[in-house]
Amino acid sequence: MALVAAAAAQDTTAGQSRAQICTACHGPGGSSAQPLVPNLAGQTSRYLYLQLKDFKEDRRADPLMTPVAKSLERQDMYDVAAYFSAQPLHPAEFKTDPARVARGEKKAAETLCTMCHLGEFKGQNEIPRVAGQQHDYVVKQLTAFKTGTRTNDAGTMASVAKTLSDEDIEDLAHYLASLR
């Protein structure tokens, strides 16, 4: 009930204003041109809010994001999340390898990625959209889950990532980068 009330109170106009600082890294409207910086456009609002909260409360760490998140109040996080979730994703161009895309698609089916990320990998609630995500960012995050340097997932992604080889991670990143 509290989440429903909070979601209703999101203000995308206030979020746009507060998100101006984010565009330096995440790009205009949250479509990143930097390979290691994630796209925020089109991401689920709930996922974005929870990630900001995790950075603020030290459940997730990044030398650039943590200080930004710590400067935000709860309403700012709701508004910024609402703003970016309402933006259309314009994925950066990444030259995918068709063989890697095919292997990545097969690995995604084997590991049942769509059980959480859904059929088009567009995410749901606290599960992120990964379709069209930056290749390098996907590799970095899957590796972080695999090695235990990222742990703010209740264990689901960590348990999946630990079954992946470095080649699997690279193949999955090509596949996800190819999706729109």
Side-chain angles (χ1 to χ4, degrees):
M1 188 68 160
L3 182 60
V4 172
Q10 294 175 340
D11 181 343
T12 56
T13 302
Q16 180 178 16
S17 176
R18 194 71 170 128
Q20 291 304 309
I21 190 172
C22 307
T23 61
C25 296
H26 293 281
S31 291
S32 175
Q34 299 186 47
L36 286 172
V37 177
N39 293 313
L40 304 179
Q43 192 58 266
T44 69
S45 179
R46 178 153 173 78
Y47 175 76
L48 291 173
Y49 167 75
L50 291 174
Q51 295 310 300
L52 287 169
K53 187 173 181 238
D54 283 355
F55 280 119
K56 184 177 180 86
E57 297 175 356
D58 298 319
R59 283 188 291 274
R60 186 172 178 193
D62 180 85
L64 295 175
M65 272 308 301
T66 299
V68 172
K70 285 187 181 289
S71 74
L72 300 174
E73 298 297 326
R74 177 180 291 192
Q75 188 62 50
D76 296 330
M77 293 189 288
Y78 284 133
D79 294 345
V80 167
Y83 168 69
F84 282 121
S85 72
Q87 302 308 303
L89 174 62
H90 303 287
E93 289 299 318
F94 175 78
K95 184 167 176 44
T96 57
D97 177 327
R100 285 192 176 278
V101 169
R103 287 194 307 264
E105 183 176 14
K106 183 178 176 188
K107 182 52 74 176
E110 286 175 16
T111 54
L112 304 175
C113 298
T114 57
M115 294 279 294
C116 297
H117 294 279
L118 300 182
E120 296 180 351
F121 292 87
K122 292 187 177 176
Q124 59 173 324
N125 299 315
E126 68 276 2
I127 308 298
R129 173 194 175 119
V130 290
Q133 192 52 271
Q134 297 279 24
H135 166 276
D136 292 6
Y137 177 75
V138 170
V139 169
K140 179 181 175 185
Q141 295 310 307
L142 286 175
T143 302
F145 282 122
K146 181 178 178 175
T147 61
T149 57
R150 181 173 172 187
T151 59
N152 69 326
D153 70 323
T156 305
M157 278 306 302
S159 66
V160 170
K162 287 179 181 167
T163 69
L164 301 173
S165 69
D166 291 346
E167 282 294 308
D168 292 336
I169 290 173
E170 185 66 27
D171 293 343
L172 283 166
H174 274 258
Y175 174 56
L176 297 173
S178 76
L179 301 175
R180 298 293 183 246

mmCIF file of all heavy atoms in Angstrom, residues 127-152:
data_model
loop_
_atom_site.group_PDB
_atom_site.id
_atom_site.type_symbol
_atom_site.label_atom_id
_atom_site.label_comp_id
_atom_site.label_asym_id
_atom_site.label_seq_id
_atom_site.Cartn_x
_atom_site.Cartn_y
_atom_site.Cartn_z
ATOM 1 N N ILE A 127 13.015 -6.124 -11.286
ATOM 2 C CA ILE A 127 13.891 -6.838 -12.219
ATOM 3 C C ILE A 127 14.212 -5.898 -13.376
ATOM 4 O O ILE A 127 13.300 -5.400 -14.042
ATOM 5 C CB ILE A 127 13.226 -8.121 -12.772
ATOM 6 C CG1 ILE A 127 12.709 -8.996 -11.633
ATOM 7 C CG2 ILE A 127 14.180 -8.866 -13.691
ATOM 8 C CD1 ILE A 127 13.767 -9.510 -10.690
ATOM 9 N N PRO A 128 15.503 -5.651 -13.655
ATOM 10 C CA PRO A 128 15.842 -4.641 -14.664
ATOM 11 C C PRO A 128 15.589 -5.083 -16.095
ATOM 12 O O PRO A 128 15.653 -6.257 -16.429
ATOM 13 C CB PRO A 128 17.341 -4.423 -14.443
ATOM 14 C CG PRO A 128 17.828 -5.723 -13.918
ATOM 15 C CD PRO A 128 16.685 -6.248 -13.053
ATOM 16 N N ARG A 129 15.342 -4.054 -16.910
ATOM 17 C CA ARG A 129 15.361 -4.237 -18.355
ATOM 18 C C ARG A 129 16.820 -4.441 -18.732
ATOM 19 O O ARG A 129 17.698 -3.675 -18.326
ATOM 20 C CB ARG A 129 14.826 -2.986 -19.050
ATOM 21 C CG ARG A 129 14.979 -3.037 -20.551
ATOM 22 C CD ARG A 129 14.755 -1.657 -21.205
ATOM 23 N NE ARG A 129 15.028 -1.781 -22.600
ATOM 24 C CZ ARG A 129 14.143 -1.565 -23.565
ATOM 25 N NH1 ARG A 129 12.934 -1.159 -23.263
ATOM 26 N NH2 ARG A 129 14.482 -1.727 -24.825
ATOM 27 N N VAL A 130 17.113 -5.473 -19.511
ATOM 28 C CA VAL A 130 18.480 -5.697 -19.985
ATOM 29 C C VAL A 130 18.555 -5.669 -21.511
ATOM 30 O O VAL A 130 19.649 -5.659 -22.062
ATOM 31 C CB VAL A 130 19.085 -7.005 -19.414
ATOM 32 C CG1 VAL A 130 19.367 -6.860 -17.921
ATOM 33 C CG2 VAL A 130 18.193 -8.193 -19.684
ATOM 34 N N ALA A 131 17.404 -5.619 -22.180
ATOM 35 C CA ALA A 131 17.402 -5.501 -23.644
ATOM 36 C C ALA A 131 17.993 -4.161 -24.039
ATOM 37 O O ALA A 131 17.589 -3.122 -23.524
ATOM 38 C CB ALA A 131 15.976 -5.613 -24.177
ATOM 39 N N GLY A 132 18.995 -4.192 -24.923
ATOM 40 C CA GLY A 132 19.611 -2.963 -25.397
ATOM 41 C C GLY A 132 20.571 -2.333 -24.419
ATOM 42 O O GLY A 132 21.034 -1.216 -24.630
ATOM 43 N N GLN A 133 20.881 -3.075 -23.344
ATOM 44 C CA GLN A 133 21.823 -2.532 -22.356
ATOM 45 C C GLN A 133 23.234 -2.523 -22.923
ATOM 46 O O GLN A 133 23.556 -3.269 -23.839
ATOM 47 C CB GLN A 133 21.753 -3.358 -21.064
ATOM 48 C CG GLN A 133 22.449 -2.749 -19.880
ATOM 49 C CD GLN A 133 22.044 -1.316 -19.582
ATOM 50 O OE1 GLN A 133 22.651 -0.377 -20.118
ATOM 51 N NE2 GLN A 133 21.003 -1.136 -18.768
ATOM 52 N N GLN A 134 24.078 -1.683 -22.382
ATOM 53 C CA GLN A 134 25.468 -1.570 -22.833
ATOM 54 C C GLN A 134 26.208 -2.902 -22.650
ATOM 55 O O GLN A 134 26.192 -3.478 -21.554
ATOM 56 C CB GLN A 134 26.191 -0.489 -22.023
ATOM 57 C CG GLN A 134 25.621 0.882 -22.191
ATOM 58 C CD GLN A 134 26.105 1.540 -23.466
ATOM 59 O OE1 GLN A 134 26.497 0.876 -24.432
ATOM 60 N NE2 GLN A 134 26.078 2.844 -23.486
ATOM 61 N N HIS A 135 26.874 -3.362 -23.680
ATOM 62 C CA HIS A 135 27.637 -4.614 -23.639
ATOM 63 C C HIS A 135 28.624 -4.638 -22.477
ATOM 64 O O HIS A 135 28.641 -5.570 -21.675
ATOM 65 C CB HIS A 135 28.372 -4.815 -24.971
ATOM 66 C CG HIS A 135 29.431 -5.858 -24.927
ATOM 67 N ND1 HIS A 135 30.724 -5.592 -24.484
ATOM 68 C CD2 HIS A 135 29.400 -7.165 -25.224
ATOM 69 C CE1 HIS A 135 31.423 -6.703 -24.529
ATOM 70 N NE2 HIS A 135 30.641 -7.674 -24.983
ATOM 71 N N ASP A 136 29.472 -3.618 -22.391
ATOM 72 C CA ASP A 136 30.519 -3.606 -21.360
ATOM 73 C C ASP A 136 29.918 -3.563 -19.948
ATOM 74 O O ASP A 136 30.453 -4.167 -19.022
ATOM 75 C CB ASP A 136 31.458 -2.420 -21.551
ATOM 76 C CG ASP A 136 32.297 -2.537 -22.822
ATOM 77 O OD1 ASP A 136 32.079 -3.476 -23.624
ATOM 78 O OD2 ASP A 136 33.169 -1.669 -23.031
ATOM 79 N N TYR A 137 28.815 -2.851 -19.805
ATOM 80 C CA TYR A 137 28.148 -2.781 -18.503
ATOM 81 C C TYR A 137 27.594 -4.159 -18.110
ATOM 82 O O TYR A 137 27.725 -4.579 -16.962
ATOM 83 C CB TYR A 137 27.023 -1.746 -18.528
ATOM 84 C CG TYR A 137 26.257 -1.680 -17.239
ATOM 85 C CD1 TYR A 137 26.802 -1.062 -16.114
ATOM 86 C CD2 TYR A 137 24.993 -2.259 -17.125
ATOM 87 C CE1 TYR A 137 26.111 -1.021 -14.912
ATOM 88 C CE2 TYR A 137 24.291 -2.223 -15.936
ATOM 89 C CZ TYR A 137 24.859 -1.597 -14.834
ATOM 90 O OH TYR A 137 24.166 -1.576 -13.641
ATOM 91 N N VAL A 138 27.006 -4.878 -19.064
ATOM 92 C CA VAL A 138 26.479 -6.216 -18.777
ATOM 93 C C VAL A 138 27.617 -7.146 -18.350
ATOM 94 O O VAL A 138 27.494 -7.877 -17.357
ATOM 95 C CB VAL A 138 25.728 -6.799 -19.996
ATOM 96 C CG1 VAL A 138 25.395 -8.273 -19.786
ATOM 97 C CG2 VAL A 138 24.456 -6.001 -20.270
ATOM 98 N N VAL A 139 28.736 -7.104 -19.071
ATOM 99 C CA VAL A 139 29.892 -7.946 -18.700
ATOM 100 C C VAL A 139 30.357 -7.600 -17.288
ATOM 101 O O VAL A 139 30.574 -8.488 -16.456
ATOM 102 C CB VAL A 139 31.053 -7.777 -19.718
ATOM 103 C CG1 VAL A 139 32.325 -8.435 -19.202
ATOM 104 C CG2 VAL A 139 30.653 -8.351 -21.076
ATOM 105 N N LYS A 140 30.471 -6.303 -17.010
ATOM 106 C CA LYS A 140 30.930 -5.862 -15.682
ATOM 107 C C LYS A 140 29.981 -6.344 -14.582
ATOM 108 O O LYS A 140 30.429 -6.854 -13.547
ATOM 109 C CB LYS A 140 31.031 -4.332 -15.660
ATOM 110 C CG LYS A 140 31.479 -3.769 -14.338
ATOM 111 C CD LYS A 140 31.523 -2.242 -14.380
ATOM 112 C CE LYS A 140 31.844 -1.690 -13.007
ATOM 113 N NZ LYS A 140 31.778 -0.218 -12.991
ATOM 114 N N GLN A 141 28.672 -6.218 -14.800
ATOM 115 C CA GLN A 141 27.721 -6.598 -13.752
ATOM 116 C C GLN A 141 27.628 -8.118 -13.574
ATOM 117 O O GLN A 141 27.588 -8.601 -12.433
ATOM 118 C CB GLN A 141 26.336 -6.010 -14.047
ATOM 119 C CG GLN A 141 26.317 -4.499 -14.012
ATOM 120 C CD GLN A 141 26.955 -3.934 -12.742
ATOM 121 O OE1 GLN A 141 26.582 -4.305 -11.629
ATOM 122 N NE2 GLN A 141 27.921 -3.040 -12.909
ATOM 123 N N LEU A 142 27.614 -8.868 -14.661
ATOM 124 C CA LEU A 142 27.573 -10.329 -14.516
ATOM 125 C C LEU A 142 28.845 -10.829 -13.819
ATOM 126 O O LEU A 142 28.785 -11.741 -12.985
ATOM 127 C CB LEU A 142 27.397 -11.002 -15.883
ATOM 128 C CG LEU A 142 25.996 -10.896 -16.490
ATOM 129 C CD1 LEU A 142 25.977 -11.488 -17.904
ATOM 130 C CD2 LEU A 142 24.955 -11.586 -15.603
ATOM 131 N N THR A 143 29.974 -10.237 -14.161
ATOM 132 C CA THR A 143 31.230 -10.607 -13.500
ATOM 133 C C THR A 143 31.184 -10.236 -12.016
ATOM 134 O O THR A 143 31.637 -11.012 -11.163
ATOM 135 C CB THR A 143 32.414 -9.926 -14.203
ATOM 136 O OG1 THR A 143 32.414 -10.317 -15.582
ATOM 137 C CG2 THR A 143 33.733 -10.306 -13.556
ATOM 138 N N ALA A 144 30.621 -9.083 -11.704
ATOM 139 C CA ALA A 144 30.503 -8.662 -10.307
ATOM 140 C C ALA A 144 29.606 -9.609 -9.513
ATOM 141 O O ALA A 144 29.914 -9.971 -8.371
ATOM 142 C CB ALA A 144 29.984 -7.230 -10.228
ATOM 143 N N PHE A 145 28.505 -10.045 -10.111
ATOM 144 C CA PHE A 145 27.645 -11.028 -9.430
ATOM 145 C C PHE A 145 28.388 -12.347 -9.270
ATOM 146 O O PHE A 145 28.327 -12.987 -8.221
ATOM 147 C CB PHE A 145 26.345 -11.256 -10.212
ATOM 148 C CG PHE A 145 25.320 -10.169 -10.033
ATOM 149 C CD1 PHE A 145 24.843 -9.474 -11.129
ATOM 150 C CD2 PHE A 145 24.809 -9.855 -8.781
ATOM 151 C CE1 PHE A 145 23.880 -8.480 -10.988
ATOM 152 C CE2 PHE A 145 23.852 -8.857 -8.621
ATOM 153 C CZ PHE A 145 23.393 -8.169 -9.728
ATOM 154 N N LYS A 146 29.114 -12.751 -10.299
ATOM 155 C CA LYS A 146 29.834 -14.028 -10.260
ATOM 156 C C LYS A 146 30.911 -14.042 -9.178
ATOM 157 O O LYS A 146 31.077 -15.022 -8.465
ATOM 158 C CB LYS A 146 30.470 -14.298 -11.636
ATOM 159 C CG LYS A 146 31.223 -15.603 -11.713
ATOM 160 C CD LYS A 146 31.787 -15.823 -13.115
ATOM 161 C CE LYS A 146 32.589 -17.120 -13.146
ATOM 162 N NZ LYS A 146 33.047 -17.436 -14.499
ATOM 163 N N THR A 147 31.626 -12.933 -9.055
ATOM 164 C CA THR A 147 32.737 -12.875 -8.094
ATOM 165 C C THR A 147 32.312 -12.417 -6.707
ATOM 166 O O THR A 147 33.131 -12.405 -5.788
ATOM 167 C CB THR A 147 33.839 -11.932 -8.615
ATOM 168 O OG1 THR A 147 33.287 -10.612 -8.765
ATOM 169 C CG2 THR A 147 34.413 -12.426 -9.932
ATOM 170 N N GLY A 148 31.048 -12.016 -6.582
ATOM 171 C CA GLY A 148 30.551 -11.600 -5.274
ATOM 172 C C GLY A 148 30.856 -10.157 -4.913
ATOM 173 O O GLY A 148 30.673 -9.764 -3.764
ATOM 174 N N THR A 149 31.302 -9.357 -5.876
ATOM 175 C CA THR A 149 31.540 -7.941 -5.578
ATOM 176 C C THR A 149 30.256 -7.124 -5.673
ATOM 177 O O THR A 149 30.227 -5.990 -5.217
ATOM 178 C CB THR A 149 32.618 -7.331 -6.498
ATOM 179 O OG1 THR A 149 32.231 -7.495 -7.858
ATOM 180 C CG2 THR A 149 33.970 -7.996 -6.261
ATOM 181 N N ARG A 150 29.218 -7.685 -6.289
ATOM 182 C CA ARG A 150 27.889 -7.071 -6.257
ATOM 183 C C ARG A 150 26.952 -8.072 -5.613
ATOM 184 O O ARG A 150 26.850 -9.215 -6.083
ATOM 185 C CB ARG A 150 27.399 -6.694 -7.664
ATOM 186 C CG ARG A 150 26.026 -6.037 -7.614
ATOM 187 C CD ARG A 150 25.552 -5.499 -8.937
ATOM 188 N NE ARG A 150 24.172 -5.069 -8.796
ATOM 189 C CZ ARG A 150 23.415 -4.664 -9.805
ATOM 190 N NH1 ARG A 150 23.900 -4.611 -11.038
ATOM 191 N NH2 ARG A 150 22.168 -4.307 -9.582
ATOM 192 N N THR A 151 26.275 -7.639 -4.569
ATOM 193 C CA THR A 151 25.461 -8.577 -3.782
ATOM 194 C C THR A 151 24.065 -8.041 -3.465
ATOM 195 O O THR A 151 23.393 -8.594 -2.607
ATOM 196 C CB THR A 151 26.175 -8.907 -2.456
ATOM 197 O OG1 THR A 151 26.376 -7.686 -1.739
ATOM 198 C CG2 THR A 151 27.497 -9.606 -2.687
ATOM 199 N N ASN A 152 23.619 -7.007 -4.140
ATOM 200 C CA ASN A 152 22.319 -6.418 -3.777
ATOM 201 C C ASN A 152 21.168 -7.029 -4.578
ATOM 202 O O ASN A 152 20.240 -6.327 -4.961
ATOM 203 C CB ASN A 152 22.349 -4.900 -3.972
ATOM 204 C CG ASN A 152 22.416 -4.497 -5.428
ATOM 205 O OD1 ASN A 152 23.026 -5.181 -6.242
ATOM 206 N ND2 ASN A 152 21.792 -3.390 -5.759
#
